[in-house]
């Protein structure tokens, strides 16, 4: 591997050439009139969605077309997530159901990849209990898919490839976009934070940043292809280190010509600087929406989570953000029922959300992840009790969201028409601040920016009229 000045491992061009040769060999295997069909399903976060798009890019190079049902698929790939138990259970259920598919279509190939597969205990379980799975590959070897598929198709021997390593960056892999107005652009991979509840650092490797020139080149290509809403992605974008800071990268992205908006995810509060908030405030293409996961309102719990900030520091940051951007929309993630959390500590989270006033909260009941420090912490609160806390939090949040949404009535926004609405002749658009607005208009406007006035509001959705 070659390392750049930031210590990042880039896959050498020669290795990628070898993969392109394998892709060409697979492509040459098909009858010209009968392209094989692939079904690719991605679970989990946008990082995984971006990986799924690269997997589809490589499959297309190998001559595959795509299908959205497993029934007629010659190749099935599940790109999995490990963040909570529920996510893993869904995958296991879906993989079990494929036994039948393999019986009907014995020549088809079934492959599993993504974060869940990067765990040895899961790979062992798949090997033992699911003989119909042909290929398991981890998060660090996605670029080797052509080589793996070629070997399965020619030798028909199962492969499990989950090398344990810090992770690499493979540039120049084609990506297939879903055709919508939104696009995902990874700027970095991995995570070094080891929050005590979280599996991500174990399955995604160490933090590594792409070079700014590679990111900006991709951004320009996305803009040229008509994508109007681009999210820069990383587990903690504030620790981006590609030779410039994340705030500088935002300014570089803002300078790319074109009519589009820039979003980013996720900001870790411990690394969120005034420099970044200023860049957000000053860049006209950067949306005034900050997703700043707090996880808990209790300083004691935050310490046990290894988050490296406390309630006061977090609230201070929110104050600065609101001062710099009075119309800012805030969203957050919260974990309810972390091991050892008391009801009083949970109430500190409730009081924090009332103080901050988030537009949207992503709330999760703590889920034990094997191999993380929290998995061995004492956890005495019953699941049923945690469920009650969870409902209490969601009820409070609904009131806050309703109040914030109602305060938008009468305001004017520039919005991007994104997709068909729930009813005939309506379109769902998104404000610069990431709120959904349903407008009555022709679907032909999808993909365009329009000015709207907000006419009605509920906790989850605004209604607007074109002006
Ligand atoms: N890197 C991002 C988030 C990654 S995971 C960040 O730091 O904010 C997305 C969210 O899933 C987390 O913010 C957290 O709220 C939730 N999460 C992660 N691990 C979890 C677990 N073991 N149980 C419940 N929720 C979890
Ligand atoms: Fe997980 Fe924490 Fe890393 Fe986010 S910052 S991915 S929550 S370890
Ligand atoms: Fe994302 Fe799930 Fe992996 S949230 S990083 S796909 S564990």
């Amino acid at each position: 591997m070659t390392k750049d000045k930031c210590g990042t491992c880039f896959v050498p061009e020669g290795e990628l050439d070898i993969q392109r040769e394998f892709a060409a060999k697979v492509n040459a295997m098909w009858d010209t009139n009968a392209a094989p069909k692939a079904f690719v399903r991605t679970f989990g976060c946008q990082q995984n969605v971006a990986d799924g798009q690269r997997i589809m890019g490589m499959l297309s190079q190998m001559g595959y077309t795509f299908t959205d049902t497993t029934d007629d698929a010659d190749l099935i790939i599940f790109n999995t997530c490990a963040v909570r138990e529920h996510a893993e259970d869904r995958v296991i259920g879906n993989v079990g159901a494929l036994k039948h598919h393999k019986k009907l279509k014995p020549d088809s190939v079934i492959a599993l990849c993504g974060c869940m597969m990067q765990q040895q205990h899961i790979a062992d379980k798949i090997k033992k209990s699911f003989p119909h799975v042909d290929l398991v590959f981890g998060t660090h070897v996605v670029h080797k898919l052509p080589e793996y598929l070629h070997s399965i198709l020619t030798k028909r021997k199962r492969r499990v490839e989950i090398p344990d390593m810090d992770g690499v960056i493979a540039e120049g892999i084609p990506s297939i976009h879903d055709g919508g107005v939104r696009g995902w652009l990874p700027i970095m991979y991995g995570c070094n934070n080891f929050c005590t509840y979280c599996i991500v650092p174990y399955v995604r490797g160490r933090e590594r940043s792409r070079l700014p020139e590679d990111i900006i080149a991709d951004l320009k290509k996305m803009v040229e292809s008509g994508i109007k809403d681009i999210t820069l992605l990383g587990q903690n974008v504030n620790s981006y280190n590609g030779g410039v800071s994340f705030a500088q990268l935002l300014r570089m992205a803002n300078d790319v010509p074109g009519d589009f908006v820039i979003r980013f995810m996720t900001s870790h509060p411990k690394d969120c600087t005034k420099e970044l908030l200023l860049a957000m405030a000053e860049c006209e293409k950067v949306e005034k929406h900050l997703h700043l996961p707090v996880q808990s309102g209790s300083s004691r719990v935050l310490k046990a989570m290894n988050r490296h900030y406390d309630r006061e520091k977090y609230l201070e940051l929110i104050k600065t953000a609101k001062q710099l951007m009075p119309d800012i929309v805030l969203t957050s993630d919260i974990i309810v029922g972390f091991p050892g959390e008391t009801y009083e500590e949970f109430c500190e989270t409730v009081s924090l959300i009332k103080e901050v006033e988030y537009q949207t909260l992503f709330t999760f009941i703590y889920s034990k992840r094997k191999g993380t420090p929290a998995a061995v912490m004492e956890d005495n609160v019953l699941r049923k009790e945690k469920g009650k806390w969870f409902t209490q939090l969601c009820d409070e949040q609904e009131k806050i969201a309703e109040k914030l949404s109602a305060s938008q009535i009468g305001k004017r926004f520039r919005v991007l028409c994104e997709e068909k609405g729930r009813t005939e002749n309506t379109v769902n658009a998104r404000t610069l601040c990431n709120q959904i607005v349903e407008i009555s208009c022709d679907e032909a406007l999808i993909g365009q920016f329009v000015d709207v006035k907000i006419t009605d509001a509920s906790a989850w959705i605004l209604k607007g009229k074109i002006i």
Side-chain angles (χ1 to χ4, degrees):
M1 294 292 158
T2 44
K3 284 200 176 200
D4 77 339
K5 61 182 187 298
C6 307
T8 300
C9 287
F10 286 91
V11 177
E13 204 39 47
E15 168 63 33
L16 293 172
D17 283 341
I18 292 172
Q19 294 305 324
R20 283 179 206 116
E21 283 164 24
F22 275 115
K25 280 187 197 164
V26 173
N27 199 331
M29 289 169 77
W30 315 120
D31 188 332
T32 35
N33 302 318
K37 288 185 186 161
F39 171 89
V40 181
R41 175 156 181 207
T42 293
F43 300 80
C45 67
Q46 277 75 22
Q47 300 262 1
N48 239 23
V49 172
D51 277 357
Q53 292 178 341
R54 297 205 311 164
I55 286 169
M56 290 174 78
M58 287 185 281
L59 291 177
S60 176
Q61 277 184 331
M62 288 183 260
Y64 282 90
T65 55
F66 299 99
T67 167
D68 48 18
T69 70
T70 51
D71 299 348
D72 61 343
D74 302 291
L75 167 67
I76 295 174
I77 299 187
F78 286 155
N79 181 23
T80 64
C81 168
V83 81
R84 282 171 292 275
E85 197 178 352
H86 176 66
E88 293 197 337
D89 289 347
R90 272 174 66 206
V91 171
I92 292 290
N94 277 290
V95 175
L98 291 181
K99 217 176 247 171
H100 184 62
H101 178 88
K102 191 74 169 187
K103 251 196 205 131
L104 293 177
K105 256 174 135 3
D107 286 342
S108 63
V109 175
I110 297 177
L112 307 176
C113 62
C115 296
M116 183 177 166
M117 297 305 139
Q118 189 61 41
Q119 304 169 95
Q120 191 62 51
H121 71 103
I122 297 285
D124 292 344
K125 179 171 173 173
I126 301 285
K127 252 197 262 181
K128 200 165 138 239
S129 316
F130 299 102
H132 58 288
V133 172
D134 301 283
L135 169 65
V136 173
F137 60 104
T139 54
H140 304 310
V141 286
V142 175
H143 61 283
K144 290 193 176 174
L145 178 60
E147 180 183 335
Y148 299 150
L149 260 186
H150 180 263
S151 117
I152 304 276
L153 290 166
T154 53
K155 302 192 183 101
R156 286 284 158 186
K157 198 162 166 268
R158 300 178 89 190
R159 287 187 77 157
V160 175
E161 302 287 344
I162 50 163
D164 181 17
M165 57 205 277
D166 286 349
V168 295
I169 296 184
E171 289 293 352
I173 294 184
S175 181
I176 289 196
H177 181 252
D178 63 8
V181 295
R182 304 191 83 187
W184 313 109
L185 178 51
I187 62 165
M188 59 196 295
Y189 304 97
C191 180
N192 286 353
N193 294 310
F194 292 94
C195 301
T196 52
Y197 50 81
C198 185
I199 195 72
V200 172
Y202 304 89
V203 294
R204 284 269 168 185
R206 298 291 59 77
E207 235 167 44
R208 50 213 186 269
S209 299
R210 296 181 67 199
L211 298 176
E213 54 269 33
D214 291 333
I215 298 168
I216 297 299
D218 276 359
L219 179 67
K220 285 183 178 157
K221 269 191 232 147
M222 290 169 97
V223 173
E224 277 159 21
S225 76
I227 299 176
K228 295 261 169 63
D229 183 321
I230 295 164
T231 305
L232 309 181
L233 292 177
Q235 292 299 348
N236 174 11
V237 290
N238 300 333
S239 63
Y240 173 78
N241 175 24
V244 302
S245 69
F246 179 60
Q248 285 166 316
L249 183 72
L250 261 190
R251 291 183 192 273
M252 289 166 73
N254 191 61
D255 288 341
V256 170
D259 197 13
F260 66 100
V261 296
I262 304 164
R263 308 175 193 274
F264 58 89
M265 247 181 8
T266 295
S267 273
H268 193 307
K270 83 176 164 68
D271 299 316
C272 185
T273 57
K274 186 152 184 200
E275 184 203 6
L276 170 66
L277 296 174
L278 269 173
M280 255 183 102
E282 287 168 12
C283 291
E284 73 286 355
K285 289 187 182 116
V286 176
E287 64 157 8
K288 310 305 173 227
H289 162 216
L290 185 61
H291 181 62
L292 197 64
V294 66
Q295 313 296 359
S296 166
S298 150
S299 294
R300 203 227 26 105
V301 174
L302 287 170
K303 191 146 195 277
M305 288 176 163
N306 193 31
R307 290 289 288 180
H308 292 283
Y309 55 87
D310 58 16
R311 181 186 173 101
E312 286 64 42
K313 181 171 174 225
Y314 185 89
L315 289 173
E316 198 54 45
L317 258 178
I318 295 289
K319 204 163 119 193
T320 311
K322 285 182 175 173
Q323 271 163 0
L324 290 171
M325 292 163 277
D327 288 329
I328 192 167
V329 166
L330 297 159
T331 58
S332 197
D333 295 348
I334 285 187
I335 295 178
V336 173
F338 182 78
E341 184 177 4
T342 63
Y343 181 67
E344 288 68 34
E345 286 167 340
F346 162 74
C347 289
E348 289 186 67
T349 302
V350 178
S351 85
L352 181 130
I353 70 156
K354 286 186 183 166
E355 186 166 342
V356 176
E357 299 198 315
Y358 297 106
Q359 180 62 49
T360 310
L361 270 189
F362 300 90
T363 40
F364 311 102
I365 292 187
Y366 169 74
S367 169
K368 191 178 190 169
R369 303 287 67 211
K370 196 178 162 110
T372 61
V376 290
M377 291 179 189
E378 207 171 335
D379 190 359
N380 292 324
V381 179
L382 293 177
R383 172 82 194 200
K384 201 171 156 205
E385 186 63 17
K386 291 184 184 182
K388 281 191 204 155
W389 300 1
F390 183 83
T391 309
Q392 182 183 341
L393 186 71
C394 295
D395 290 349
E396 284 299 340
Q397 176 55 29
E398 192 170 338
K399 285 186 229 157
I400 297 166
E402 251 167 22
K403 183 184 129 189
L404 291 180
S405 293
S407 72
Q408 309 285 31
I409 295 174
K411 286 193 187 163
R412 288 155 185 251
F413 291 107
R414 182 164 185 257
V415 296
L416 174 61
C417 297
E418 216 175 90
E419 57 186 15
K420 274 188 185 172
R422 286 172 302 176
T423 49
E424 214 36 33
N425 287 327
T426 62
V427 163
N428 285 343
R430 198 178 285 269
T431 67
L432 251 184
C433 299
N434 215 20
Q435 280 179 284
I436 305 287
V437 186
E438 187 182 86
I439 43 184
S440 301
C441 71
D442 198 323
E443 283 163 21
L445 284 177
I446 290 174
Q448 293 188 31
F449 288 98
V450 292
D451 290 312
V452 297
K453 185 175 171 185
I454 305 301
T455 52
D456 199 2
S458 73
W460 321 117
I461 197 163
L462 304 173
K463 287 195 177 169
K465 206 169 75 186
I466 296 187
I467 41 178

